[in-house]
Amino acid sequence: MAERPEDLNLPNAVITRIIKEALPDGVNISKEARSAISRAASVFVLYATSCANNFAMKGKRKTLNAGDVLSAMEEMEFQRFVAPLKESLEVYRREQRGKKEARKDKDKKADSEEQDKSREEENDDDDERMEEEEQNEEEEVDN
């Protein structure tokens, strides 16, 4: 758990970026307002986490999952966030699947390249052996 209450706050840089993205260009926000938004966001995240944790505990689990968070949003009466969260979750899962498949493809390609390389080395070794045998045979014929 956090040692100080400030440890529970979200990073100021993240809060500032979110605020700037939400406001139209040319609109400034005071330091006090930014601090208040930061505290409110931190409280929201802690409350959502606590509610999601309750769902995980009811399921006799120690790990929170996406379903717990979605259920928590409904329990907290933030139903309007459930659909966008589900969409974002699906996009995230597709990206992760794509990365996983790309990694598998890369590994397969690397494996096949290694196999090709080892085959080439074996062929080179075979060629060298054949050349040596030919030279030995020529030497025997000369003798």
Side-chain angles (χ1 to χ4, degrees):
M1 207 58 209
E3 294 178 16
R4 301 173 295 160
E6 299 85 40
D7 293 341
L8 299 174
N9 290 339
L10 297 171
N12 286 330
V14 172
I15 297 298
T16 301
R17 186 178 58 220
I18 292 170
I19 291 170
K20 285 183 179 181
E21 289 174 4
L23 294 175
D25 290 337
V27 176
N28 294 322
I29 186 165
S30 71
K31 190 174 182 179
E32 294 88 17
R34 189 173 26 250
S35 177
I37 291 171
S38 176
R39 283 192 219 113
S42 296
V43 168
F44 175 78
V45 169
L46 290 170
Y47 181 52
T49 304
S50 176
C51 288
N53 188 48
N54 290 339
F55 283 101
M57 287 173 41
K58 286 177 188 175
K60 298 181 181 178
R61 293 178 283 109
K62 291 184 178 183
T63 303
L64 302 180
N65 61 35
D68 297 329
V69 175
L70 293 171
S71 298
M73 288 294 139
E74 289 178 5
E75 182 175 291
M76 294 166 39
E77 298 182 7
F78 284 102
Q79 290 88 352
R80 70 180 212 180
F81 292 119
V82 172
L85 282 173
K86 284 182 180 178
E87 290 172 15
S88 295
L89 179 61
E90 190 57 39
V91 168
Y92 171 78
R93 286 178 175 163
R94 277 195 303 265
E95 288 175 358
Q96 293 303 308
R97 270 188 246 121
K99 287 180 183 178
K100 191 174 183 179
E101 289 172 5
R103 203 173 17 237
K104 281 183 182 178
D105 290 345
K106 184 179 177 183
D107 290 345
K108 284 181 183 178
K109 185 178 179 183
D111 287 346
S112 69
E113 286 177 359
E114 284 180 23
Q115 288 174 352
D116 291 345
K117 201 176 206 179
S118 65
R119 284 187 198 128
E120 287 176 9
E121 289 174 358
E122 286 175 10
N123 288 339
D124 289 345
D125 290 345
D126 288 345
D127 290 345
E128 286 177 16
R129 268 189 247 119
M130 288 177 67
E131 286 177 11
E132 286 177 13
E133 287 176 8
E134 287 175 2
Q135 285 178 354
N136 288 340
E137 286 176 4
E138 287 176 7
E139 287 175 6
E140 287 178 9
V141 169
D142 288 341
N143 290 334

